[in-house]
Amino acid sequence: MAAMLDTIEGRKIAGHRPCPRLVVDEGGWRFAASQLSAGSWTLLGLWGDTGAVHMAVLDEAAREIAVVTLPCLDGNFPSVGALHPAAIRLERAVRDLYGLEPVGSPDTRPWLDLGFWHVQHPLGDRRNAPAGSAPYPFLPTAGEGLHQIPVGPVHAGIIEPGHFRFTANGETVVRLEQRLSYVHKGIEALMAGASLDTAARLAGRTSGDSTVAYGWPLHMRSRPQWRSRFRPVPSICGR
């Protein structure tokens, strides 16, 4: 069986850790997307950068992970979500943050930008946001006796804010759509160049109901002396 890197045409980045990375052209990017669509590989992540997009993929059979990078010379890239729906929301986030357009995407709606940022594409070619934004187009539904029930984004609890749009016929829910990211704080940009102490505080503010889960790993790195004070709690299941 050929190694994953041998099946992708591209330029390998020397010394990239913890897994290899290749810079590819659009053909190599589309090949990786086709492997995801066929179920041969698993998508681990898709994110943007200044003038480029990256995709982490896993070959479970070969137990290999690789990062594929595509320079976006014209500000766009072939949509992975057009072949592999799991990438759609990730591509929408890349477009909102960096202004890089996924060509051929089946969903062109914003994801992180809910219309109240004062700038567009804050991590890319920053520009002033338009004065007004169009209403969010929820996916259509067709049928008799349908009605919509909006819930959120403010909830009576400690969960993060989110808007949920139920389309129902009586007690049967025909469609449920979510809108999240109401408390998107720009943590990715704030993390750049931050000290471990500052990064730990930022991580703890990622999600109000998971502050320990997000902040604990960085706190442990910034306070090595804590490691001797805290021991793993034995599982009550004996595992």
Side-chain angles (χ1 to χ4, degrees):
M1 179 182 296
M4 176 189 290
L5 295 183
D6 295 336
T7 63
I8 309 174
E9 292 187 8
R11 174 174 56 87
K12 185 176 180 180
I13 303 299
H16 189 268
R17 296 291 184 271
C19 52
R21 180 166 75 94
L22 293 96
V23 179
V24 300
D25 58 13
E26 289 192 3
W29 185 263
R30 287 194 174 95
F31 173 77
S34 70
Q35 294 296 101
L36 296 173
S37 177
S40 302
W41 296 349
T42 300
L43 179 66
L44 297 183
L46 193 156
W47 64 98
D49 204 344
T50 303
V53 286
H54 310 278
M55 176 167 48
V57 292
L58 164 68
D59 185 338
E60 295 188 41
R63 297 185 178 181
E64 293 182 356
I65 296 175
V67 175
V68 180
T69 296
L70 174 67
C72 302
L73 302 180
D74 298 323
N76 56 57
F77 60 97
S79 170
V80 178
L83 298 176
H84 189 59
I88 291 177
R89 284 185 177 177
L90 300 175
E91 291 179 341
R92 292 167 66 186
V94 168
R95 184 184 57 240
D96 287 354
L97 293 177
Y98 293 91
L100 303 175
E101 188 68 31
V103 178
S105 172
D107 194 339
T108 59
R109 299 173 298 170
W111 178 242
L112 299 180
D113 188 349
L114 302 181
F116 50 74
W117 291 351
H118 67 281
V119 297
Q120 284 186 311
H121 316 143
L123 299 183
D125 55 340
R126 296 169 63 97
R127 64 184 69 173
N128 292 331
S133 58
Y136 186 79
F138 287 93
L139 296 178
T141 54
E144 295 183 2
L146 297 181
H147 60 282
Q148 290 191 341
I149 305 172
V151 178
V154 179
H155 302 279
I158 64 171
I159 64 173
E160 293 293 307
H163 178 83
F164 303 91
R165 182 67 59 95
F166 294 84
T167 302
N169 183 343
E171 296 185 359
T172 301
V173 177
V174 178
R175 182 187 294 279
L176 167 60
E177 271 200 86
Q178 311 96 334
R179 290 197 78 192
L180 308 176
S181 303
Y182 283 88
V183 290
H184 193 279
K185 310 171 187 70
I187 289 179
E188 181 179 355
L190 294 172
M191 282 279 193
S195 66
L196 276 176
D197 281 349
T198 300
R201 293 186 180 93
L202 287 171
R205 288 159 174 77
T206 302
S207 177
D209 56 5
S210 307
T211 184
V212 174
Y214 279 103
W216 184 251
L218 284 171
H219 274 298
M220 291 294 285
R221 292 192 63 184
S222 62
R223 298 286 192 275
Q225 66 273 19
W226 289 5
R227 297 173 189 166
S228 60
R229 301 181 186 178
F230 297 93
R231 303 295 184 190
V233 178
S235 170
I236 61 173
C237 298
R239 291 183 292 174

